[in-house]
PDB file of all heavy atoms in Angstrom:
ATOM      1  N   GLU A1371     -18.599  -0.846   3.960  1.00 97.00           N
ATOM      2  CA  GLU A1371     -19.911  -1.386   4.333  1.00 97.00           C
ATOM      3  C   GLU A1371     -20.756  -1.708   3.111  1.00 97.00           C
ATOM      4  O   GLU A1371     -21.556  -2.650   3.129  1.00 97.00           O
ATOM      5  CB  GLU A1371     -20.647  -0.388   5.239  1.00 97.00           C
ATOM      6  CG  GLU A1371     -20.093  -0.326   6.658  1.00 97.00           C
ATOM      7  CD  GLU A1371     -20.676   0.814   7.469  1.00 97.00           C
ATOM      8  OE1 GLU A1371     -21.617   1.490   6.959  1.00 97.00           O
ATOM      9  OE2 GLU A1371     -20.201   1.046   8.604  1.00 97.00           O
ATOM     10  N   ARG A1372     -20.577  -0.948   2.050  1.00 97.00           N
ATOM     11  CA  ARG A1372     -21.325  -1.196   0.812  1.00 97.00           C
ATOM     12  C   ARG A1372     -21.081  -2.612   0.277  1.00 97.00           C
ATOM     13  O   ARG A1372     -21.945  -3.193  -0.378  1.00 97.00           O
ATOM     14  CB  ARG A1372     -20.913  -0.195  -0.271  1.00 97.00           C
ATOM     15  CG  ARG A1372     -21.479   1.201  -0.113  1.00 97.00           C
ATOM     16  CD  ARG A1372     -20.960   2.060  -1.265  1.00 97.00           C
ATOM     17  NE  ARG A1372     -21.525   3.400  -1.261  1.00 97.00           N
ATOM     18  CZ  ARG A1372     -21.194   4.344  -2.130  1.00 97.00           C
ATOM     19  NH1 ARG A1372     -20.282   4.088  -3.075  1.00 97.00           N
ATOM     20  NH2 ARG A1372     -21.751   5.538  -2.080  1.00 97.00           N
ATOM     21  N   VAL A1373     -19.894  -3.132   0.530  1.00 97.00           N
ATOM     22  CA  VAL A1373     -19.563  -4.475   0.024  1.00 97.00           C
ATOM     23  C   VAL A1373     -19.533  -5.503   1.156  1.00 97.00           C
ATOM     24  O   VAL A1373     -18.977  -6.588   1.017  1.00 97.00           O
ATOM     25  CB  VAL A1373     -18.220  -4.467  -0.738  1.00 97.00           C
ATOM     26  CG1 VAL A1373     -18.333  -3.627  -2.003  1.00 97.00           C
ATOM     27  CG2 VAL A1373     -17.083  -3.949   0.144  1.00 97.00           C
ATOM     28  N   GLY A1374     -20.136  -5.143   2.281  1.00 96.00           N
ATOM     29  CA  GLY A1374     -20.293  -6.091   3.375  1.00 96.00           C
ATOM     30  C   GLY A1374     -19.092  -6.269   4.271  1.00 96.00           C
ATOM     31  O   GLY A1374     -19.026  -7.233   5.035  1.00 96.00           O
ATOM     32  N   ILE A1375     -18.133  -5.346   4.210  1.00 95.00           N
ATOM     33  CA  ILE A1375     -16.953  -5.428   5.073  1.00 95.00           C
ATOM     34  C   ILE A1375     -17.139  -4.452   6.234  1.00 95.00           C
ATOM     35  O   ILE A1375     -17.087  -3.241   6.046  1.00 95.00           O
ATOM     36  CB  ILE A1375     -15.660  -5.094   4.292  1.00 95.00           C
ATOM     37  CG1 ILE A1375     -15.480  -6.062   3.117  1.00 95.00           C
ATOM     38  CG2 ILE A1375     -14.442  -5.147   5.212  1.00 95.00           C
ATOM     39  CD1 ILE A1375     -14.321  -5.708   2.198  1.00 95.00           C
ATOM     40  N   VAL A1376     -17.382  -5.006   7.412  1.00 95.00           N
ATOM     41  CA  VAL A1376     -17.700  -4.178   8.581  1.00 95.00           C
ATOM     42  C   VAL A1376     -16.708  -4.399   9.721  1.00 95.00           C
ATOM     43  O   VAL A1376     -16.328  -3.457  10.412  1.00 95.00           O
ATOM     44  CB  VAL A1376     -19.133  -4.472   9.081  1.00 95.00           C
ATOM     45  CG1 VAL A1376     -19.459  -3.652  10.323  1.00 95.00           C
ATOM     46  CG2 VAL A1376     -20.153  -4.202   7.981  1.00 95.00           C
ATOM     47  N   HIS A1377     -16.286  -5.648   9.908  1.00 95.00           N
ATOM     48  CA  HIS A1377     -15.452  -6.000  11.055  1.00 95.00           C
ATOM     49  C   HIS A1377     -14.024  -6.314  10.610  1.00 95.00           C
ATOM     50  O   HIS A1377     -13.817  -7.067   9.661  1.00 95.00           O
ATOM     51  CB  HIS A1377     -16.048  -7.204  11.788  1.00 95.00           C
ATOM     52  CG  HIS A1377     -17.473  -7.000  12.199  1.00 95.00           C
ATOM     53  ND1 HIS A1377     -17.838  -6.103  13.172  1.00 95.00           N
ATOM     54  CD2 HIS A1377     -18.623  -7.562  11.729  1.00 95.00           C
ATOM     55  CE1 HIS A1377     -19.165  -6.124  13.304  1.00 95.00           C
ATOM     56  NE2 HIS A1377     -19.653  -6.999  12.441  1.00 95.00           N
ATOM     57  N   PRO A1378     -13.040  -5.753  11.279  1.00 95.00           N
ATOM     58  CA  PRO A1378     -11.650  -5.948  10.867  1.00 95.00           C
ATOM     59  C   PRO A1378     -11.096  -7.318  11.245  1.00 95.00           C
ATOM     60  O   PRO A1378     -11.495  -7.921  12.252  1.00 95.00           O
ATOM     61  CB  PRO A1378     -10.905  -4.847  11.617  1.00 95.00           C
ATOM     62  CG  PRO A1378     -11.750  -4.573  12.818  1.00 95.00           C
ATOM     63  CD  PRO A1378     -13.168  -4.785  12.390  1.00 95.00           C
ATOM     64  N   PHE A1379     -10.151  -7.790  10.425  1.00 93.00           N
ATOM     65  CA  PHE A1379      -9.399  -8.990  10.749  1.00 93.00           C
ATOM     66  C   PHE A1379      -8.273  -8.616  11.717  1.00 93.00           C
ATOM     67  O   PHE A1379      -7.942  -7.437  11.872  1.00 93.00           O
ATOM     68  CB  PHE A1379      -8.828  -9.613   9.478  1.00 93.00           C
ATOM     69  CG  PHE A1379      -9.843 -10.343   8.657  1.00 93.00           C
ATOM     70  CD1 PHE A1379     -10.367  -9.780   7.504  1.00 93.00           C
ATOM     71  CD2 PHE A1379     -10.285 -11.607   9.044  1.00 93.00           C
ATOM     72  CE1 PHE A1379     -11.311 -10.452   6.750  1.00 93.00           C
ATOM     73  CE2 PHE A1379     -11.230 -12.293   8.291  1.00 93.00           C
ATOM     74  CZ  PHE A1379     -11.739 -11.718   7.136  1.00 93.00           C
ATOM     75  N   PRO A1380      -7.671  -9.620  12.381  1.00 92.00           N
ATOM     76  CA  PRO A1380      -6.671  -9.313  13.408  1.00 92.00           C
ATOM     77  C   PRO A1380      -5.543  -8.388  12.951  1.00 92.00           C
ATOM     78  O   PRO A1380      -5.184  -7.459  13.658  1.00 92.00           O
ATOM     79  CB  PRO A1380      -6.137 -10.701  13.786  1.00 92.00           C
ATOM     80  CG  PRO A1380      -7.314 -11.594  13.581  1.00 92.00           C
ATOM     81  CD  PRO A1380      -8.017 -11.059  12.368  1.00 92.00           C
ATOM     82  N   ILE A1381      -4.977  -8.632  11.774  1.00 92.00           N
ATOM     83  CA  ILE A1381      -3.860  -7.779  11.356  1.00 92.00           C
ATOM     84  C   ILE A1381      -4.321  -6.345  11.125  1.00 92.00           C
ATOM     85  O   ILE A1381      -3.559  -5.396  11.329  1.00 92.00           O
ATOM     86  CB  ILE A1381      -3.158  -8.350  10.103  1.00 92.00           C
ATOM     87  CG1 ILE A1381      -1.811  -7.631   9.925  1.00 92.00           C
ATOM     88  CG2 ILE A1381      -4.030  -8.224   8.848  1.00 92.00           C
ATOM     89  CD1 ILE A1381      -0.855  -8.302   8.998  1.00 92.00           C
ATOM     90  N   GLN A1382      -5.576  -6.171  10.722  1.00 95.00           N
ATOM     91  CA  GLN A1382      -6.118  -4.823  10.537  1.00 95.00           C
ATOM     92  C   GLN A1382      -6.316  -4.138  11.890  1.00 95.00           C
ATOM     93  O   GLN A1382      -5.969  -2.971  12.058  1.00 95.00           O
ATOM     94  CB  GLN A1382      -7.427  -4.910   9.760  1.00 95.00           C
ATOM     95  CG  GLN A1382      -7.259  -5.471   8.356  1.00 95.00           C
ATOM     96  CD  GLN A1382      -8.543  -5.976   7.743  1.00 95.00           C
ATOM     97  OE1 GLN A1382      -9.605  -5.942   8.360  1.00 95.00           O
ATOM     98  NE2 GLN A1382      -8.454  -6.474   6.514  1.00 95.00           N
ATOM     99  N   SER A1383      -6.857  -4.876  12.858  1.00 94.00           N
ATOM    100  CA  SER A1383      -7.061  -4.311  14.197  1.00 94.00           C
ATOM    101  C   SER A1383      -5.750  -3.891  14.840  1.00 94.00           C
ATOM    102  O   SER A1383      -5.666  -2.868  15.526  1.00 94.00           O
ATOM    103  CB  SER A1383      -7.753  -5.341  15.101  1.00 94.00           C
ATOM    104  OG  SER A1383      -9.044  -5.644  14.641  1.00 94.00           O
ATOM    105  N   LEU A1384      -4.717  -4.705  14.608  1.00 94.00           N
ATOM    106  CA  LEU A1384      -3.420  -4.430  15.219  1.00 94.00           C
ATOM    107  C   LEU A1384      -2.678  -3.290  14.539  1.00 94.00           C
ATOM    108  O   LEU A1384      -2.033  -2.467  15.199  1.00 94.00           O
ATOM    109  CB  LEU A1384      -2.548  -5.692  15.176  1.00 94.00           C
ATOM    110  CG  LEU A1384      -2.986  -6.860  16.056  1.00 94.00           C
ATOM    111  CD1 LEU A1384      -2.231  -8.125  15.669  1.00 94.00           C
ATOM    112  CD2 LEU A1384      -2.771  -6.536  17.524  1.00 94.00           C
TER     113      LEU A1384
END
Side-chain angles (χ1 to χ4, degrees):
E1371 286 171 7
R1372 284 180 176 177
V1373 294
I1375 301 173
V1376 178
H1377 305 291
F1379 284 103
I1381 194 164
Q1382 297 161 359
S1383 296
L1384 292 167

